[in-house]
Amino acid sequence: MAATDTSAAPRLLPSYIQDSWWTPEAPSKVHEILDASTAEPVCLVSTEGLDTGAAVAHARSAGQESLGQLSIHQRALRLKHLAAYLHEHREELYELSDRTGSTRRDHLIDVDGGIGTIRTFSSKGRKELPNANIIVDGAVEQLSRDGSFLGEHIYTRLTGVAVQINAFNFPVWGMLEKFAPSFIAGVPTIVKPASQTAYVTQACVRLMIDSGLIPTGALQLISGSARDLLDHLDHRDHVAFTGSANTAQLLRSHDNVANQGVRFTAETDSLNAAILGPDAGPDTVEFDAFIKSVTLEMTAKTGQKCTAIRRVIVPSAQVDPVVEALRTRLDSRVVLGDPRDAQTTMGPLASQDQREEVARAVDTLVSAGGSVRVGGPESGTGDADAGQGAFFPATVLSFAEPRTPAVHSVEAFGPVTSVLGYADIDDAVDLAALGGGSLVATVCTHDPEIAAEFTRGIASHHGRVLFLDRDDAKTSTGHGSPLPHLVHGGPGRAGGGEELGGIRAVKHYMQRTAVQGSPDLLTGVTGVWHRGAKAVTATPETVADGTAVHPFRKSLAELRIGDQFASGLRTVALEDITSFAESTGDTFYAHTDEEAATANPFFPRRVAHGYLLVAWAAGLFVEPAPGPVLANTGLENLSFQTPVTYDDSIRVTLTAKQIIPRETDDYGEVRWDTVLHNQHDEIVATYDVLTRVAKQNKPEWR
């Protein structure tokens, strides 16, 4: 292992405020941060004299303005490039993270996990959201009989600042998983990392700023105490906190949170459980997968994860086999030491304070009746220097009385877990619930009925439940890995908040508003055409005589919301119905048996297949020559409303409903509102047609 240079005095860690790096001049109070393995100084932390009010004001002014000049897709695209930039420079973050006690495997969770998270949000933002700054939420509500008064819900970005207060254990991922959705939403961020590992966060922020991808005022960093930050926030702002339940409660009690409308979400410590199903005995694949999962969660990040498994709930007869299996795997897999040593598989805790806190928690659990079965403070730390570094051995306890209150309330935030026996599934459910609300539980079973029974019992107590069995053991991302696609958070002790969850996370930084008005006004507000709003209509006759242009002949540059094509009528013959039935094999009686169809209360007699009508509609609205419409990519929200029988006629009205240009492609997506009517002007079917349309017309298409 290379020697560490200790000749230079530790530097004062800078903050990034109002688009400049800032450090206090000769602060009277500083906090010294030490290397978790060697106790050598890393940096000094102080925010004495930092103007938090000015930081908030800068975010609300410059940050809001610069982000507002970009659309959702433009901001999401910047995240894609930012992920690539951070990936290119990740080794620098790895080297700094070594000092926190994190191993190379841990870096993959924190550094690579954070980069992967912003990459995922970039992709989902561009695929699932409009290239605009207003998001329509849900269907339109008809508020008048004639369709002149409508209502719906929209999301718009918050006009304040997104403040994130993070824990020490994930200095990169903890920041990026909050930053990505707020950035896509268009809300500037102020980051306040935990002081113990703030130097890693500071390095990541520096890389982000150096990338040139962060707009003015969109990101600020407070490297140390946030002091009076919450005093400057109001209903425009959002605070996302990760840390202890006690600190969360303190922040919740702040007057601006309690009474002035500051939005506050918390993700706090929780006593997560892994439950071994009654079918998963020692001779099963599930048992082996269970042991692997528990040991991984004990040792990854040295157990300093809010999702780590603190309670191992197993059938009473399996307590000893589980303990012995954990002992065997821990003995063979865990090498405690400095992460810079290639042989190390588990590093120290983040600080000596953390080590002392974990030791106190273990003492409390033992005093309450727990038995140390593996490890423990008295077992030593092997070749690791516990006197200098913050090392703590992997520790397994068991309890003769599984309902001992301490095991369901005291968290040793380190490589410590407790094995508890249960009598039956109801008993296991009760034990899991005693944790008072958790981020995640793993249930290891290969029996779908057992999985369903556990779901009914524990889902309401958990933010996420992982089902582990032989089929997904190799592909599962694991108990302790929050995914950007899925909600991270949990009820009760876990904080009662939500993060991640795909586009849900973006909407956490937006306001949902009900809007009401006429079709024309709501079209103007949302940028999405509403049925009944003004339209520019082309017909077969006006297209033929050259007085109108078919919408399919218009490129994205020419097409406008409300451009419309209204076809003529096409009559359905009985032969059309029978021929379609024979060619497709869809000989359902409503199309082929006159007597049976007539007896059906929903049909007047034999009726046309719905998909025949949809196919005919395409024939009625399509413009067949090569042109800017490049592909049909889907059909959504299909609803059949009025049956069509032979001798009826249908016509189609196609209207450009939404236009979504792509930032990096030479095409965009167009959503077309499609309505089929019969000869009586009754609605037969409604749906949306999705197409890709070129941004510009080519000369040969004219």
Side-chain angles (χ1 to χ4, degrees):
M1 183 176 67
T4 303
D5 180 12
T6 59
S7 59
R11 67 187 179 108
L12 195 61
L13 195 67
S15 297
Y16 189 74
I17 300 296
Q18 295 177 277
D19 301 312
S20 298
W21 290 104
W22 175 93
T23 53
E25 296 183 7
S28 59
K29 294 182 179 180
V30 296
H31 181 50
E32 187 176 48
I33 305 300
L34 305 179
D35 187 297
S37 298
T38 66
E40 295 168 348
V42 175
C43 64
L44 302 175
V45 170
S46 175
T47 56
E48 194 172 297
L50 188 148
D51 190 343
T52 57
V56 171
H58 185 64
R60 288 178 179 158
S61 56
Q64 281 282 334
E65 181 179 358
S66 64
L67 287 170
Q69 292 171 357
L70 303 173
S71 68
I72 287 174
H73 283 205
Q74 290 168 337
R75 295 191 291 265
L77 185 60
R78 290 200 180 204
L79 284 186
K80 176 185 177 181
H81 298 317
L82 180 62
Y85 186 87
L86 292 177
H87 181 79
E88 182 181 346
H89 294 83
R90 68 191 186 283
E91 285 291 338
E92 177 183 341
L93 300 177
Y94 288 176
E95 291 176 10
L96 284 173
S97 294
D98 288 342
R99 301 180 179 184
T100 72
S102 292
T103 65
R104 284 276 155 159
R105 181 185 66 179
D106 297 335
H107 300 340
L108 297 179
I109 302 171
D110 184 32
V111 178
D112 291 69
I115 294 171
T117 295
I118 62 174
R119 186 181 293 116
T120 298
F121 272 107
S122 170
S123 175
K124 293 183 78 66
R126 288 175 289 136
K127 289 180 180 178
E128 300 178 28
L129 294 176
N131 196 0
N133 275 312
I134 290 179
I135 302 171
V136 175
D137 177 45
V140 173
E141 300 288 344
Q142 294 284 342
L143 303 179
S144 66
R145 289 186 177 182
D146 64 358
S148 64
F149 186 51
L150 308 175
E152 65 186 325
H153 296 89
I154 61 171
Y155 280 100
T156 56
R157 67 192 180 115
L158 300 182
T159 56
V161 59
V163 173
Q164 50 169 278
I165 303 172
N166 296 326
F168 67 85
N169 51 343
F170 288 101
V172 176
W173 178 86
M175 172 182 65
L176 295 181
E177 64 97 4
K178 297 181 178 72
F179 172 77
S182 62
F183 187 81
I184 290 178
V187 181
T189 293
I190 296 177
V191 179
K192 191 283 175 207
S195 295
Q196 184 59 43
T197 54
Y199 56 92
V200 183
T201 306
Q202 185 271 335
C204 187
V205 168
R206 177 174 50 77
L207 289 171
M208 295 166 73
I209 299 302
D210 290 349
S211 74
L213 295 165
I214 306 299
T216 299
L219 177 62
Q220 298 179 82
L221 169 72
I222 298 176
S223 297
S225 171
R227 298 166 38 249
D228 61 347
L229 178 60
L230 266 65
D231 294 347
H232 302 285
L233 305 182
D234 59 30
H235 70 279
R236 295 169 289 180
D237 307 309
H238 183 290
V239 175
F241 169 78
T242 300
S244 72
N246 289 338
T247 304
Q249 186 55 40
L250 181 66
L251 295 174
R252 277 196 180 98
S253 66
H254 190 285
D255 182 66
N256 285 352
V257 176
N259 300 310
Q260 302 304 318
V262 173
R263 300 159 196 248
F264 182 83
T265 60
E267 184 255 284
T268 64
D269 48 20
S270 68
L271 292 157
N272 311 293
I275 304 172
L276 184 66
D279 60 314
D283 58 344
T284 64
V285 175
E286 284 70 34
F287 185 92
D288 292 340
F290 183 80
I291 297 301
K292 290 178 183 178
S293 179
V294 173
T295 54
L296 174 63
E297 295 306 320
M298 287 181 65
T299 58
K301 296 288 288 185
T302 319
Q304 298 169 113
K305 294 168 60 180
C306 54
T307 54
I309 295 170
R310 307 300 181 193
R311 298 175 299 154
V312 180
I313 300 173
V314 305
S316 295
Q318 303 299 342
V319 169
D320 289 340
V322 165
V323 168
E324 290 309 310
L326 290 173
R327 182 196 310 279
T328 299
R329 190 166 182 85
L330 290 168
D331 287 347
S332 65
R333 298 298 181 107
V334 175
V335 177
L336 188 61
D338 190 317
R340 286 157 288 207
D341 187 329
Q343 302 302 313
T344 295
T345 61
M346 188 174 82
L349 296 166
S351 66
Q352 283 287 358
D353 287 344
Q354 282 300 122
R355 183 183 185 281
E356 292 171 8
E357 186 174 318
V358 171
R360 284 195 299 270
V362 172
D363 287 344
T364 299
L365 292 170
V366 171
S367 297
S371 299
V372 175
R373 304 288 296 274
V374 179
E378 307 303 322
S379 69
T381 54
D383 294 333
D385 184 357
Q388 193 171 29
F391 298 100
F392 197 92
T395 299
V396 179
L397 298 91
S398 66
F399 284 78
E401 175 43 66
R403 279 177 165 70
T404 300
V407 77
H408 303 289
S409 60
V410 175
E411 181 178 26
F413 201 72
V416 180
T417 198
S418 297
V419 181
L420 311 173
Y422 70 82
D424 54 29
I425 292 178
D426 287 342
D427 190 30
V429 166
D430 289 344
L431 289 172
L434 288 176
S438 299
L439 294 170
V440 56
T442 286
V443 177
C444 201
T445 178
H446 191 54
D447 187 322
E449 292 185 5
I450 291 175
E453 190 170 353
F454 271 114
T455 300
R456 291 189 294 269
I458 71 171
S460 64
H461 302 282
H462 294 81
R464 176 165 57 91
V465 178
L466 166 65
F467 292 102
L468 188 64
D469 72 353
R470 66 196 66 181
D471 295 332
D472 67 4
K474 291 184 178 180
T475 56
S476 166
T477 51
H479 168 100
S481 300
L483 297 174
H485 315 72
L486 301 177
V487 165
H488 175 55
R493 176 171 177 150
E498 275 193 4
E499 295 174 349
L500 302 178
I503 298 306
R504 294 174 184 83
V506 177
K507 294 176 180 178
H508 291 163
Y509 297 93
M510 307 184 86
Q511 172 63 44
R512 182 165 57 189
T513 303
V515 291
Q516 300 166 275
S518 68
D520 280 323
L521 292 180
L522 293 191
T523 296
V525 167
T526 63
V528 178
W529 186 80
H530 289 64
R531 209 167 289 160
K534 292 182 177 66
V536 177
T537 306
T539 66
E541 293 75 24
T542 59
V543 168
D545 66 19
T547 59
V549 178
H550 193 293
F552 273 24
R553 303 306 303 169
K554 296 182 179 181
S555 68
L556 227 59
E558 302 161 320
L559 189 67
R560 297 292 180 267
I561 296 295
D563 281 355
Q564 185 178 86
F565 181 80
S567 79
L569 288 166
R570 175 168 179 170
T571 302
V572 181
L574 180 58
E575 182 183 354
D576 296 320
I577 299 173
T578 57
S579 177
F580 191 82
E582 292 170 1
S583 63
T584 63
D586 181 359
T587 55
F588 184 64
Y589 74 86
H591 314 302
T592 58
D593 187 326
E594 191 79 16
E595 183 178 354
T598 305
N600 188 314
F602 295 105
F603 303 130
R605 53 183 179 177
R606 270 187 281 182
V607 294
H609 304 69
Y611 301 111
L612 168 60
L613 302 178
V614 170
W616 275 9
L620 289 170
F621 67 63
V622 75
E623 212 292 328
V629 176
L630 306 175
N632 181 331
T633 60
L635 181 154
E636 293 182 352
N637 306 317
L638 175 61
S639 173
F640 295 113
Q641 300 182 25
T642 303
V644 172
T645 185
Y646 48 91
D647 298 331
D648 283 345
S649 298
I650 63 165
R651 61 180 177 85
V652 63
T653 304
L654 184 82
T655 310
K657 180 178 182 178
Q658 186 178 26
I659 300 172
I660 306 175
R662 293 292 167 188
E663 293 297 321
T664 58
D665 299 307
D666 57 4
Y667 65 85
E669 274 86 31
V670 178
R671 180 180 293 269
W672 304 85
D673 179 85
T674 312
V675 184
L676 272 65
H677 289 87
N678 63 16
Q679 71 274 21
H680 304 299
D681 285 337
E682 298 169 321
I683 293 179
V684 170
T686 59
Y687 52 98
D688 289 346
V689 171
L690 310 179
T691 63
R692 288 179 179 172
V693 177
K695 288 182 177 178
Q696 300 291 336
N697 255 316
K698 296 181 179 181
E700 60 266 29
W701 291 342
R702 294 295 187 181

